[in-house]
Amino acid sequence: MEKSDRLGGQVDLAVKPPHKDKLYWCIEDLHTACKKLGVEIRLSSEVTKKTVEDMKPYAVIVATGAYAVKPKFIKGYDRDNVYTTTEILDGSVKLENKKVTVAGSGMTGLETAEMLTLTNNKVTIVEMADSIGPGVWMQHVDDIMPRLKEKKVKFLTSRKLTEISDSFITVEDKKGNKEKLDADYVVLSLGAKSDNTLYEEIKNISENVYLIGDSEKVGRIANATRSAFECVKNIK
């Protein structure tokens, strides 16, 4: 059961930036396997505690994923001109010809920045680490950086985003020096938090309620796939 009208979860977001469409092949492959094995798939079907109580399933596997965070330590994090990468990638927010700051240069931040350049936005990436793409596989960084540079994306490393206003942001370096930069909008790419709300609501309904994937611990596709395999293998 999937609450949205499309399969894939975070992967469906990951395929939105340029050159990423083939990533959805992994979802199509699993979908095809499920159909061959007779798995019933219900889209636009949100699961609640009542759903589980009414269906009385032998086991429930919760894979509700994770959601992008807006850290409260950033003053102005809740302003109307502040979004997460999710809202840009899913198309619910469209920015054009604006000055946009992307906070965080993980792969999601870099790809969202590239997507923003396609609609003539002037993009600046702010990163706390000393280099762009901390923790990202080197080949991915080497692949995307030339395209970002070609689009005149600006990079500010060793800077922490501390405040957001209607028309500017404030960043701080490691020595405590602060600097104000023009910004119409800010897009936060500062990690995700597990969404285990449903699990907490239903975990005591039976002994066979399991939590997997990002909803248990935020990770990568391989981590989610492994946790699903281990979960199903051990259901008795």
Side-chain angles (χ1 to χ4, degrees), residues 27-40:
I27 302 301
E28 293 174 340
D29 178 61
L30 289 169
H31 186 202
T32 299
C34 285
K35 288 194 294 184
K36 286 183 177 179
L37 294 168
V39 176
E40 179 185 356

Side-chain angles (χ1 to χ4, degrees), residues 4 42-44 60 68 71 79 81 103 134 139-140 192 198 210 212 220:
S4 75
R42 301 182 187 179
L43 298 177
S44 303
V60 180
R79 286 183 174 274
N81 62 332
Q139 185 59 57
H140 288 325
L198 176 63
Y210 305 93
I212 65 170
R220 302 183 185 277

Side-chain angles (χ1 to χ4, degrees), residues 8 11 14 20 31 50 74 79 82 93 130 132 147-148 199:
V11 176
K20 294 298 295 294
H31 186 202
K50 186 176 186 306
I74 301 174
R79 286 183 174 274
V82 182
V93 172
D130 295 332
I132 294 296
R147 300 198 300 270
L148 294 177
Y199 175 77

Side-chain angles (χ1 to χ4, degrees), residues 33-176:
C34 285
K35 288 194 294 184
K36 286 183 177 179
L37 294 168
V39 176
E40 179 185 356
I41 296 176
R42 301 182 187 179
L43 298 177
S44 303
S45 302
E46 184 171 4
V47 177
T48 64
K49 183 178 181 180
K50 186 176 186 306
T51 306
V52 178
E53 291 173 338
D54 291 346
M55 293 181 71
K56 297 181 174 60
Y58 176 76
V60 180
I61 300 173
V62 181
T64 45
Y67 57 90
V69 297
K70 287 186 174 182
K72 294 183 179 180
F73 67 78
I74 301 174
K75 186 177 180 180
Y77 76 94
D78 54 352
R79 286 183 174 274
D80 292 339
N81 62 332
V82 182
Y83 303 109
T84 66
T85 53
T86 298
E87 294 159 302
I88 302 299
L89 294 175
D90 69 13
S92 59
V93 172
K94 299 182 185 299
L95 303 178
E96 185 175 354
N97 297 313
K98 303 296 183 182
K99 295 177 182 177
V100 184
T101 295
V102 175
S105 72
M107 204 61 221
T108 303
L110 295 176
E111 291 174 345
T112 302
E114 183 176 16
M115 191 170 175
L116 287 165
T117 66
L118 300 181
T119 48
N120 298 316
N121 294 293
K122 294 182 179 180
V123 180
T124 299
I125 296 177
V126 175
E127 170 57 53
M128 288 180 61
D130 295 332
S131 60
I132 294 296
V136 179
W137 186 40
M138 177 187 64
Q139 185 59 57
H140 288 325
V141 177
D142 289 347
D143 181 54
I144 196 171
M145 285 297 284
R147 300 198 300 270
L148 294 177
K149 290 177 180 179
E150 183 180 355
K151 293 290 187 177
K152 309 300 183 184
V153 173
K154 296 181 179 179
F155 303 94
L156 288 178
T157 57
S158 304
R159 307 289 205 290
K160 178 171 67 175
L161 176 63
T162 59
E163 183 177 352
I164 303 167
S165 78
D166 290 335
S167 59
F168 68 87
I169 62 168
T170 301
V171 297
E172 183 178 327
D173 65 19
K174 293 182 178 181
K175 294 181 179 180

Side-chain angles (χ1 to χ4, degrees), residues 160-230:
K160 178 171 67 175
L161 176 63
T162 59
E163 183 177 352
I164 303 167
S165 78
D166 290 335
S167 59
F168 68 87
I169 62 168
T170 301
V171 297
E172 183 178 327
D173 65 19
K174 293 182 178 181
K175 294 181 179 180
N177 300 313
K178 295 184 177 182
E179 180 183 2
K180 291 184 178 180
L181 306 168
D182 291 338
D184 300 318
Y185 292 92
V186 175
V187 178
L188 302 178
S189 182
L190 300 174
K193 184 176 181 180
S194 296
D195 183 0
N196 56 16
T197 305
L198 176 63
Y199 175 77
E200 291 299 324
E201 291 177 355
I202 68 172
K203 65 181 181 180
N204 296 320
I205 288 180
S206 78
E207 294 181 356
N208 297 322
V209 180
Y210 305 93
L211 187 65
I212 65 170
D214 278 356
S215 50
E216 178 185 23
K217 182 179 180 181
V218 177
R220 302 183 185 277
I221 293 174
N223 305 121
T225 305
R226 168 59 64 179
S227 70
F229 172 77
E230 294 293 345

